[in-house]
Each structure stands twice: as structure tokens, then as C-alpha cells.
Amino acid sequence: MVYHEKAYAKVNLGLRVLNKRDDGFHPLKTIFHKIDLYDEILININESNETRVLITGNEEYINGGVDLMEKAALLFSRFANKNFEIKINIKKNLPFQAGLGGGSSDAATVLLTLNKHFNNILNNDDIMVLGLSLGSDVPFFLTGFDAAYGEGRGEILKEVESVNYPAVILKKNSDKVSTKEAFRLLDERKEVCDTFPSWPLEINKWQAELINDFDIIQNIRKEDEFKLLAKKARYNTTSGSGSCQLLVFSTEEEVNEFLKVPSSYLMLTTKLKSSLHKN
């Protein structure tokens, strides 16, 4: 059976990183919010005596390693005690190692599609356990929420009201930040602060209240060009652990004016995704 799926990206509106736990992980406090950028995934699942995974379309960014989608499929096979052949073709629209959760969203999409194919053989708790073993962002994508308050490693999630402000993603093509490296750099340079506000829907409060600790390790934020562009937005922040920068605006007119400013950065226009607000 063939499934056509969209794996949406996310941004973090504020991200506080607490002291490393004994198990090596860092507790977080954040607001996850989907945006309307996504990878396009074609998934073909067939009967087989043994589990086989074939992925195409990811060759440019996987660099010979094991893709998170393959890990998700193999993990599901073992946990659900099901064998299958799964062929995945992905059109990668989301930047790699950019803080948008692209790999995590892709993996979550594979888990959810396999579970749907096998008539929801795994319950929600089981799926969340599998997702967390793959990465801290995966549980959010498994919930189906547009926005959520996240704690723990990202697995303690409470749905919050979503918003639909327009936004622009800024990226330097040369910048890629692995999650592991981002946390290492942050451990060397930050002071721990565990304060985090309730979800302030009013955008004029975001810059003061929704702080991302990873801002301090992003070299792009030190550049004069970025500082000039950031002033034109209502809110600017690092997306997740980086390297993309999120600029949020109140109206489409503000975005259109912003895009007239010359820039050397890659720019992607988007919107904070909200099923509550239909245009």
C-alpha cells in the first residue's frame, strides 16, 4: 500500500536548557510550534518474510550514515513484531541540521504511517516511547499538535493554543549545527536559568519573554547584516539548537516589505501552522 505524507517542520519559541542530568540528557523548557514547511514522503509498504528498508531522495544529506527514518522503521518492526518491506522516497524541502526538526518529523511520519498500516497495533504510549528513543523532538511530531509546551527531554507535552503569524527563516548555506555539538558549545558558555513564561499569545511580549539559550552560540547573530534584518521583525530567535534564524511578523504586509531588503542569506517564507486559524 502506498501513502503520501507531509512531514511538517517546527520551530521553538523560547528554549531554556537546564543542567545536564545523570543520564547525560538536558531537561528543556520550550514552546514547540509547527510551521507550514514540510518534507514530502512517499511510503510503499508490502508484505515480506523479513524487514527491508529502502530509502531514496536522501542521499545528499545522509552522508553514508543511517537515516533516522530507517532507524524508525527497524525499531517499529522489532517492537511490533512485524516484518515488512518499506520503500521510502523523500523530497527534502527542509534544510539539514537547521533546528527545524526535519529529521525528527520524517522519523515520526514513518512511525505513524507504519502504525496506521498495521491497524494501530501500538498504542500512543508505545509510539511515544519509540519516538523518544529516536530523538527529543520526535514526540512532539507524534502528537499531531500544532503547538505544545514541552518539558523533560521534550516528551512531557501539553497542547497550547496555536497562532498563525507569518514568518521568514534565515539561513547561511555554510552553517550546519548538529544537536550534539550545539549542546557541547552551550555547556561551555551558558549560565543556567530555568525561568520560562506561560504561553504569551501577544507577539509584542515574545522578544522579552521567549528566550532561546542557543542564541549565544550562533555566529550569524553577531553579524551586522543579521542585526539589521532582525530589527525589522516583531520577534527573532534561533530555531531549536540552530542554525536557522526565525523572524516572525504581525502581517503579510510586513513580510512583503521585509523581503525587499537585499540579503546574502537564504530566505524561506512560512507561517506558524495553525488549524485553528483558516484564511
Side-chain angles (χ1 to χ4, degrees):
M1 186 172 292
V2 178
Y3 301 88
H4 299 261
E5 305 292 344
K6 294 178 180 178
Y8 284 93
K10 62 84 187 168
V11 290
N12 294 79
L13 304 177
L15 177 55
R16 305 316 300 260
V17 181
L18 311 186
N19 281 326
K20 187 185 294 186
R21 305 186 312 202
D22 291 341
D23 62 5
F25 291 105
H26 294 77
L28 309 173
K29 292 185 178 182
T30 189
I31 297 290
F32 293 105
H33 205 301
K34 284 183 182 176
I35 58 176
D36 64 1
L37 299 178
Y38 53 84
D39 289 336
E40 301 168 63
I41 307 179
L42 182 68
I43 300 175
N44 190 348
I45 304 171
N46 296 296
E47 293 183 3
S48 177
N49 291 328
E50 60 179 346
T51 296
R52 294 192 293 269
V53 183
L54 176 64
I55 303 176
T56 56
N58 64 340
E59 294 84 0
E60 181 179 352
Y61 72 91
I62 193 60
N63 294 324
V66 178
D67 189 277
L68 205 59
M69 292 183 293
E70 180 175 357
K71 291 181 180 179
L74 295 174
L75 192 62
F76 180 93
S77 176
R78 291 196 299 271
F79 201 88
N81 195 27
K82 290 287 185 180
N83 289 325
F84 49 83
E85 177 188 74
I86 181 170
K87 296 180 180 178
I88 301 170
N89 179 260
I90 182 167
K91 181 181 179 184
K92 283 294 295 182
N93 301 315
L94 304 177
F96 180 56
Q97 289 187 345
L100 299 178
S104 295
S105 185
D106 297 340
T109 299
V110 169
L111 285 178
L112 291 172
T113 303
L114 282 167
N115 204 39
K116 177 171 62 176
H117 180 81
F118 288 104
N119 299 312
N120 297 316
I121 189 173
L122 301 183
N123 61 38
N124 288 339
D125 289 342
D126 290 337
I127 286 288
M128 292 294 279
V129 168
L130 297 188
L132 185 60
S133 72
L134 293 167
S136 296
D137 286 340
V138 179
F140 170 67
F141 292 111
L142 292 172
T143 64
F145 298 157
D146 287 335
Y149 181 87
E151 291 189 89
R153 283 179 54 202
E155 82 283 10
I156 303 171
L157 295 159
K158 178 182 178 182
E159 186 174 17
V160 298
E161 184 177 348
S162 55
V163 294
N164 69 334
Y165 293 119
V168 175
I169 302 291
L170 293 185
K171 187 179 186 303
K172 294 178 68 174
N173 284 324
S174 59
D175 282 356
K176 295 179 181 179
V177 179
S178 72
T179 301
K180 182 178 180 179
E181 177 66 6
F183 275 101
R184 185 190 68 79
L185 291 172
L186 194 61
D187 282 337
E188 292 178 353
R189 300 167 66 173
K190 79 179 186 72
E191 296 181 3
V192 174
C193 177
D194 64 358
T195 59
F196 198 85
S198 59
W199 177 210
L201 295 175
E202 301 86 356
I203 194 172
N204 62 334
K205 296 181 180 180
W206 290 11
Q207 200 67 51
E209 297 186 18
L210 297 177
I211 298 166
N212 187 336
D213 287 335
F214 287 103
D215 281 352
I216 65 173
I217 70 167
Q218 306 301 330
N219 290 329
I220 186 176
R221 297 186 66 84
K222 303 173 185 176
E223 297 177 358
D224 290 339
E225 180 182 354
F226 173 79
K227 292 177 181 178
L228 176 64
L229 294 172
K231 289 179 180 179
K232 298 180 180 300
R234 302 294 176 130
Y235 175 65
N236 73 85
T237 187
T238 300
S239 177
S241 57
S243 58
C244 279
Q245 298 298 308
L246 171 70
L247 276 62
V248 184
F249 300 81
S250 291
T251 66
E252 295 287 353
E253 289 75 16
E254 289 180 359
V255 172
N256 292 336
E257 287 301 311
F258 174 81
L259 294 175
K260 294 177 183 179
V261 180
S263 173
S264 64
Y265 302 132
L266 170 68
M267 290 191 180
L268 299 173
T269 57
T270 184
K271 181 174 285 189
L272 299 177
K273 186 178 184 298
S274 175
S275 57
L276 301 176
H277 301 85
K278 299 294 186 182
N279 293 333

